Amino acid sequence: MTNRTRILTGITTTGTPHLGNYAGAIRPAILASRDSNADSFYFLADYHALIKCDDPLRIQRSRLEIAATWLAGGLDVDRVTFYRQSDIPEIPELTWLLTCVAAKGLLNRAHAYKASVDKNLETGEDPDAGITMGLYSYPVLMAADILMFNAHKVPVGRDQIQHVEMARDIGQRFNHLFGQGKEFFTMPEALIEESVATLPGLDGRKMSKSYDNTIPLFSGAKEMKDAISRIVTDSKAPGEAKDPDNSHLFTLFQAFATPVQADEFRSELLGGLGWGEAKNRLFQLLDSELGEAREKYHQLIERPADLEDILQIGAKKARAVATPFLNELREAVGLRSFVNQVQVAATAKKKAAKAARFVSFREDDGSFRFRLLAADGEQLLLSRNFADGKTAGQVTKQLQSGEPLDVRTEELSFSVWLAGECVGDSPAFADAAARDAAIEALRVALTPAQD
C-alpha cells in the first residue's frame, strides 16, 4: 500500500448538488486532493442512492450533475481516482464479507435506523414499518467504500462521523477473525472542517435535499436569487441591529467570504443593514464566487459522453487497487481456488518428502535434542531437551510412525505434543500463511512413504 495519506469521500446521487454539498464536502475534498502527500479517492455514491430514492430518472440525472459538479469545482482527475461506486463490483462483494462479521447490535445503534424507528413509534406504527434492509445495512456499505481502499482520512459532515467509527469497528473485527497477525484494513479517521461542516438551509435546519431547503449550487442567477430571498430571518427592520451569530444568512455568507469580507458584513448587520440588502450581498458574493465554475458545469452537462469516458478511466484505476485486494480477502476467508489449493499441497508434499531430515545433537549441559529441517534447510521443529540420546531417538521414531500429530498453534508459531507432553517447538514465522505452510510440510515429512 501507498505511504501517502489516502483521502476518500463521496456524495449520494439523489438530487441536484447544493451549497451545503459544496462547502461541506466537495470544496474541502478538492483542496485536500492538491496536497502532494495525499492519495485521493472520490466517488459518486450511487448504490447509496438506491436506499433513499426509487426514482430511476432522478438518480440518473443526479449522477450526471454530481459528476459535472466535481469537475467544475476543480477536481483534477489526473491526480486523483474519481469513479462511480456502481462501476466497482468489488464493493458489493466486500459489503457481503463485512456483513458476515458486522454485529447486529452495532447496526441497531446507527442514527438513521434509530431515527426511523423512533418516528414510527411516535406515530403508533410498527417499529420497523417502511424500513428496508438497505437503510439498516447502510453503515456496512459505507464501511466497504472506505475499507476497500484503506482510506486514512474520510471528510464527512458531523452526522456521518458515526459511520466512520462503525467502519473502524467492522474492519477491526475482520482483521481479528481472519488476519492471523496481518492487518488487512487500515483504521480510518473522520476529517471535519469545523467552520463549514454543516451549512443551514433556507429554514435554518441543515441544508438537505430531504428537507427541500437547499440553494442549488450551479443554478442560474435568477434561480439562486429567488432561493436566497426565501432564507428565513427575524422581523427586525432596516436600521435595527441584527445578531450575526444567530443568523442563518450570515453563516452562509461566512462560508464563502474571506475573513475581511465576513468582518465587514458582520459590522454592517450590527449597524442595522436591512435583511433585503443583506440577501442581495449574499447573492453577489455567491454569484462572483461560483460564476466561472457554473459556466464549466453547464458545458460538462452538455457532454455526457465525455463524463462517461472520465468515469470509466477512474473505474479502471480504482479496480487496479480493488481487484487484487479483494482476491486477498477472499483467500483469507477461505474462498480459494481448488486448483491452487491442490497444487500448493502437492508442491509442499514433494519438497518435504524429498529433503526433510532429522538432525540430532548434544547440548553443553549433556542433554540431547534434535531438529527437523525442511527441503530448503528451514527449521520446522526444535525438540525439547532429553536426558539421553536413546529417549530422543524414540521420540523421532514415534513422530515418524504415521500416528496423527497433535500440533498446537500459538500466534505465529506451533508446538508438537506426544502423550500430553510437548516434545518440540517451531520458530516464529513471518505470518500465519508461512506458519500453516510449515505445519503442512511437517505433516508431509512425517508421513511414511507409500510403495
Side-chain angles (χ1 to χ4, degrees):
M1 290 186 289
T2 178
N3 291 324
R4 297 192 298 170
T5 299
R6 278 197 174 171
I7 300 173
L8 178 143
T9 195
I11 292 184
T12 308
T13 55
T14 53
T16 300
H18 54 71
L19 288 184
N21 298 141
Y22 181 72
I26 297 174
R27 183 175 62 183
I30 291 173
L31 290 174
S33 75
R34 295 170 184 163
D35 182 348
S36 60
N37 292 318
D39 188 14
S40 303
F41 289 72
Y42 301 132
F43 66 97
L44 311 181
D46 47 359
Y47 279 140
H48 287 290
L50 301 179
I51 298 168
K52 305 176 182 179
C53 180
D54 58 5
D55 181 348
L57 293 179
R58 181 178 178 183
I59 289 175
Q60 180 183 12
R61 180 67 184 177
S62 179
R63 292 160 92 221
L64 180 69
E65 292 176 340
I66 292 178
T69 297
W70 278 101
L71 298 175
L75 188 70
D76 183 350
V77 294
D78 292 328
R79 291 177 60 96
V80 307
T81 303
F82 179 53
Y83 59 96
R84 272 183 304 230
Q85 187 185 35
S86 60
D87 286 333
I88 316 299
E90 291 81 5
I91 288 175
E93 184 169 352
L94 177 57
T95 300
W96 182 248
L97 297 186
L98 299 180
T99 297
C100 291
V101 304
K104 181 175 181 290
L106 180 68
L107 300 183
N108 286 343
R109 297 192 289 274
H111 296 326
Y113 171 65
K114 289 176 64 177
S116 296
V117 170
D118 291 345
K119 185 176 180 181
N120 283 334
L121 293 175
E122 287 173 8
T123 57
E125 295 279 357
D126 180 88
D128 288 323
I131 297 176
T132 66
M133 283 304 298
L135 173 65
Y136 184 75
S137 301
Y138 180 103
V140 187
L141 177 56
M142 186 165 173
D145 291 325
I146 296 167
L147 298 176
M148 174 57 76
F149 299 106
N150 277 307
H152 301 98
K153 304 287 185 181
V154 186
V156 292
R158 288 197 168 278
D159 59 330
Q160 294 287 326
I161 293 176
Q162 185 196 40
H163 288 144
V164 179
E165 293 172 345
M166 293 173 86
R168 292 174 62 93
D169 290 340
I170 296 169
Q172 284 175 335
R173 177 66 174 162
F174 189 97
N175 284 343
H176 174 71
L177 289 175
F178 301 110
Q180 299 293 324
K182 179 176 182 178
E183 298 292 312
F184 286 111
F185 297 122
T186 298
M187 295 298 102
E189 296 180 11
L191 183 63
I192 305 294
E193 187 167 309
E194 295 290 347
S195 61
V196 294
T198 303
L199 286 188
L202 303 179
D203 57 3
R205 292 182 294 177
K206 171 194 170 184
M207 188 177 293
S208 170
K209 296 180 284 287
S210 303
Y211 299 146
D212 194 26
N213 67 349
T214 65
I215 299 176
L217 180 60
F218 292 135
S219 59
K222 183 179 184 304
E223 186 179 355
M224 178 178 283
K225 195 166 189 176
D226 289 344
I228 290 172
S229 70
R230 298 197 301 275
I231 295 174
V232 175
T233 57
D234 60 33
S235 58
K236 291 183 178 178
E240 293 185 77
K242 314 298 188 298
D243 181 3
D245 296 325
N246 288 305
S247 165
H248 313 314
L249 192 151
F250 179 75
T251 302
L252 287 165
F253 188 96
Q254 190 175 36
F256 290 87
T258 65
V260 172
Q261 289 173 321
D263 288 343
E264 290 177 353
F265 193 53
R266 170 187 286 275
S267 296
E268 289 183 292
L269 288 172
L270 291 170
L273 181 70
W275 287 124
E277 178 57 25
K279 290 177 179 180
N280 186 53
R281 297 280 182 85
L282 175 60
F283 165 72
Q284 290 175 349
L285 174 69
L286 293 177
D287 193 50
S288 172
E289 177 80 11
L290 301 173
E292 184 178 342
R294 180 196 299 145
E295 183 178 348
K296 185 175 181 181
Y297 169 84
H298 288 291
Q299 291 173 352
L300 289 164
I301 288 290
E302 296 301 318
R303 302 201 306 270
D306 291 351
L307 283 172
E308 183 68 26
D309 289 343
I310 290 169
L311 287 166
Q312 289 302 320
I313 292 171
K316 186 176 181 180
K317 288 169 66 176
R319 294 197 69 196
V321 176
T323 302
F325 185 42
L326 186 66
N327 288 338
E328 190 178 354
L329 299 177
R330 287 172 63 93
E331 285 276 332
V333 302
L335 304 180
R336 302 164 184 162
S337 164
F338 292 157
V339 175
N340 291 344
Q341 191 172 341
V342 170
Q343 289 176 341
V344 169
T347 300
K349 184 172 184 178
K350 183 177 180 181
K351 286 184 177 179
K354 183 177 181 181
R357 64 192 186 279
F358 284 99
V359 177
S360 300
F361 62 97
R362 189 172 185 174
E363 294 282 17
D364 292 340
D365 62 2
S367 63
F368 291 82
R369 304 178 78 177
F370 61 81
R371 292 187 177 92
L372 176 59
L373 303 179
D376 58 1
E378 179 184 18
Q379 181 173 294
L380 299 176
L381 194 70
L382 174 64
S383 76
R384 296 290 174 92
N385 297 73
F386 298 100
D388 54 71
K390 182 178 179 181
T391 303
Q394 289 173 340
V395 171
T396 60
K397 287 182 180 180
Q398 193 170 352
L399 288 174
Q400 297 176 84
S401 68
E403 295 180 9
L405 285 177
D406 181 2
V407 179
R408 306 181 188 183
T409 59
E410 302 170 5
E411 296 295 332
L412 299 180
S413 63
F414 62 85
S415 56
V416 176
W417 295 63
L418 290 175
E421 291 187 13
C422 180
V423 296
D425 303 281
S426 77
F429 295 94
D431 51 43
R435 179 203 64 198
D436 294 344
I439 292 173
E440 176 63 20
L442 174 75
R443 292 187 188 279
V444 172
L446 297 178
T447 300
Q450 300 293 322
D451 294 331

